[in-house]
Amino acid sequence: MNNSKLAGAIGFSMKAGKCASGEFAADKAVKASKAYAVLVDVSASAATKKRWSGRCGAKRIPYVEVENLGGIIGKEARMVAAITDAAFSGMITRAYSDNNEIDHGGASNGES
């Protein structure tokens, strides 16, 4: 997988202030229908992955598992992030889907 393209897209969203990182911030973005994609680190626990996959499925938000999410966004301990901009979400999901199948859960606009 071309991780540099994916990492660049995630990094740009963070620098632009369009990435809510951490469980609390991501949950707040999802509940407010402001999340256009949710990113979860591949090393997160199975329970975390299941919880976020379920939330994304219910809200029809793309769910993407990323290697070294915390390192990419510059906050090492973070396992979850929500992308709060449609353009960045599209850029990230396209970069990810080049070599992976993505679970869109339906619409990708974050609305139920």
Side-chain angles (χ1 to χ4, degrees):
M1 176 166 87
N2 186 357
N3 280 338
S4 63
K5 191 174 183 181
L6 178 61
I10 296 168
F12 285 141
S13 71
M14 186 67 181
K15 288 179 183 179
K18 302 297 182 183
C19 180
S21 67
E23 290 262 348
F24 180 77
D27 189 46
K28 186 175 176 181
V30 168
K31 286 180 179 176
S33 296
K34 293 183 179 181
Y36 289 87
V38 171
L39 313 175
V40 176
D41 194 288
V42 294
S43 65
S45 70
T48 298
K49 290 177 185 178
K50 183 178 179 182
R51 179 174 56 249
W52 282 99
S53 177
R55 286 180 187 170
C56 290
K59 290 278 195 170
R60 301 183 320 184
I61 300 169
Y63 169 85
V64 178
E65 289 189 13
V66 181
E67 291 179 40
N68 191 26
L69 177 62
I72 293 170
I73 63 174
K75 298 182 183 214
E76 289 297 324
R78 304 297 164 92
M79 290 288 146
V80 179
I83 304 303
T84 59
D85 181 81
F88 281 118
S89 173
M91 186 187 318
I92 291 165
T93 55
R94 279 191 302 278
Y96 180 81
S97 67
D98 284 345
N99 294 316
N100 297 287
E101 184 175 323
I102 191 165
D103 178 12
H104 287 284
S108 62
N109 64 0
E111 295 183 23
S112 50

